[in-house]
Amino acid sequence: MKKVLITGAAGFLGSHLCDRFIHEGYEVIGMDNLITGDLKNIEHLFKLKEFEFYHHDVSTFVHVPGDLDYILHFASPASPIDYLKIPIQTLKVSSLGTHNMLGLARAKNARILVASTSEIYGDPNVHPQTEEYWGNVNPVGPRGVYDEAKRFQEAMTMAYQRIHDIETRIVRIFNTYGPRMRLNDGRVLPAFIGQALRGEDITIFGDGSQTRSFCYVDDLVEGIFRLLLSDYDMPVNIGNPDEITIAEFAEEIINLTGTNQSIVYKDLPEGDPAKRRPDITKAREILDWEPKIHRAQGLRLTFEYFKSLSHDELYKKEHKSFDAYFR
Ligand code: UDP
């Protein structure tokens, strides 16, 4: 049985990856410090003998007993609100945390896949974004803590590949959605659906002309699974190229939820990229992958999940305070 370590296991993407690898017959060790993750996302796995959970912060030294075949480094805050609240932890997990994971990969002779992001392209001057584009990132802006940490992560990963000859994979993840997103993490989809369910106004930042391209989580997980098992060791974009303005997206959510809310316009956050769409030629050619789930279907599945949350969860401001973790 192959063994895989997944960091950020209790998060949105990490928990779906745990499910997939268990389903494929792997032994899975999930690791998370639970700052932004939630055990609720993986509690169904605790009864399985193939699953183990370590409550640990990967920014500090990591020890895992025994052999490991694969490491997937997915620990990191990933919403703009989170990295504004916990900028130093955001910087540490993709720099120190990545260094620890690369060291572990080297010690175990394991293949490692690191979760990078479309944020490494910043506010892009090239559209759609190809892997060859180097990006347009402001290091000292509010998003710099995430963008630069992820850029450092890619550089560190390539250095370990070149110097220590370890097997590395880099996935650049574009906006992804689906069940288990945190309702109040500030990202646009849970924000709009939460507002619809609570009967509040929909908040569009700026004039809503900025674009994003949303990928359903199952498609993303399939792409990551293929990339891990492929022979390709340079970065690959995984995302859905179906691009939409945020204003159109708000209309889709209003139609989906059958509500009749007003739209209110708020200031555009500093550094908010004007457009984003992946060029997925590489994923198509190298991994024979492309997204299969149309936004209408993915949004319905996601709405079902949010509708199933309790009244308390719906009205809670945040599922927990970060303060408790940083005394
Ligand atoms: N956004 C919005 N209203 C909200 C939350 C987000 O208009 O209540 C916009 C945000 O300004 C950005 C887009 O939606 O242009 C996507 O934001 P998100 O935080 O989901 O992720 P990003 O792609 O910016 O990292």
Side-chain angles (χ1 to χ4, degrees):
M1 223 182 200
K2 298 260 188 209
K3 199 164 182 178
V4 53
L5 169 68
I6 300 177
T7 74
F12 166 47
L13 297 183
S15 66
H16 283 282
L17 285 165
C18 288
D19 285 346
R20 176 66 188 259
F21 279 85
I22 291 281
H23 182 75
E24 296 285 343
Y26 288 69
E27 260 182 78
V28 175
I29 299 177
M31 194 175 278
D32 207 299
N33 66 357
L34 302 177
I35 295 179
T36 56
D38 195 327
L39 284 181
K40 187 168 66 92
N41 292 332
I42 47 171
E43 66 189 3
H44 58 285
L45 299 175
F46 278 77
K47 60 179 183 292
L48 303 177
K49 63 176 189 334
E50 299 81 18
F51 183 75
E52 251 186 296
F53 180 71
Y54 292 4
H55 185 188
H56 183 73
D57 180 349
V58 297
S59 303
T60 64
F61 181 81
V62 176
H63 173 71
V64 175
D67 294 336
L68 272 181
D69 298 288
Y70 301 109
I71 298 172
L72 281 88
H73 184 33
F74 275 71
S76 175
S79 93
I81 296 277
D82 284 349
Y83 41 82
L84 284 176
K85 283 188 195 158
I86 44 173
I88 296 170
Q89 287 71 28
T90 302
L91 280 156
K92 283 170 72 177
V93 71
S94 289
S95 54
L96 307 182
T98 298
H99 189 204
N100 289 332
M101 284 304 123
L102 288 164
L104 186 66
R106 188 177 170 215
K108 302 286 185 187
N109 202 15
R111 180 179 295 180
I112 178 168
L113 180 149
V114 297
S116 188
T117 163
S118 55
E119 282 284 327
I120 66 111
Y121 301 121
D123 190 5
N125 297 321
V126 167
H127 194 72
Q129 292 77 57
T130 60
E131 288 86 348
E132 283 69 37
Y133 178 48
W134 294 346
N136 175 35
V137 170
N138 175 7
V140 295
R143 289 179 182 244
V145 296
Y146 185 62
D147 302 5
E148 295 294 3
K150 289 292 189 181
R151 290 169 69 94
F152 175 91
Q153 176 185 62
E154 291 199 9
M156 189 67 148
T157 301
M158 292 308 295
Y160 262 67
Q161 182 198 112
R162 288 171 182 138
I163 297 296
H164 295 308
D165 205 24
I166 64 168
E167 293 188 10
T168 64
R169 305 287 179 267
I170 299 174
V171 58
R172 291 187 181 151
I173 299 170
F174 283 66
N175 292 67
T176 302
Y177 69 98
R180 302 185 192 154
M181 286 186 101
R182 251 163 60 218
L183 186 61
N184 294 313
D185 75 357
R187 276 183 285 190
V188 67
L189 183 142
F192 285 178
I193 291 188
Q195 287 159 351
L197 290 171
R198 290 185 296 258
E200 297 166 1
D201 294 340
I202 297 261
T203 54
I204 290 185
F205 298 163
D207 63 5
S209 64
Q210 69 272 36
T211 69
R212 295 294 186 271
S213 308
F214 297 97
C215 184
Y216 188 67
V217 62
D218 290 358
D219 280 332
L220 184 93
V221 165
E222 178 64 32
I224 290 169
F225 192 73
R226 288 185 189 208
L227 176 61
L228 178 72
L229 300 184
S230 78
D231 292 331
Y232 191 72
D233 62 10
M234 294 298 283
V236 179
N237 289 339
I238 299 283
N240 190 325
D242 187 2
E243 184 179 3
I244 184 174
T245 67
I246 294 302
E248 289 164 337
F249 191 58
E251 289 303 328
E252 284 193 1
I253 299 289
I254 290 172
N255 292 335
L256 169 79
T257 56
T259 48
N260 192 18
Q261 296 138 279
S262 314
I263 289 176
V264 292
Y265 292 88
K266 303 226 165 161
D267 289 345
L268 190 68
E270 187 187 336
D272 200 294
K275 51 191 179 309
R276 184 182 288 154
R277 173 154 72 104
D279 181 317
I280 58 165
T281 310
K282 273 204 168 53
R284 281 200 173 102
E285 286 174 0
I286 298 167
L287 310 177
D288 191 24
W289 174 89
E290 62 180 9
K292 298 263 184 290
I293 297 168
H294 192 267
R295 200 170 51 247
Q297 185 192 356
L299 287 181
R300 273 198 303 276
L301 294 167
T302 310
F303 184 46
E304 288 307 313
Y305 167 78
F306 282 117
K307 268 200 300 196
S308 73
L309 298 180
S310 68
H311 180 273
D312 279 3
E313 281 170 306
L314 190 57
Y315 282 89
K316 220 167 4 185
K317 274 279 170 268
E318 178 51 79
H319 73 314
K320 65 188 101 165
S321 160
F322 291 132
D323 303 343
Y325 293 87
F326 306 116
R327 278 191 280 266

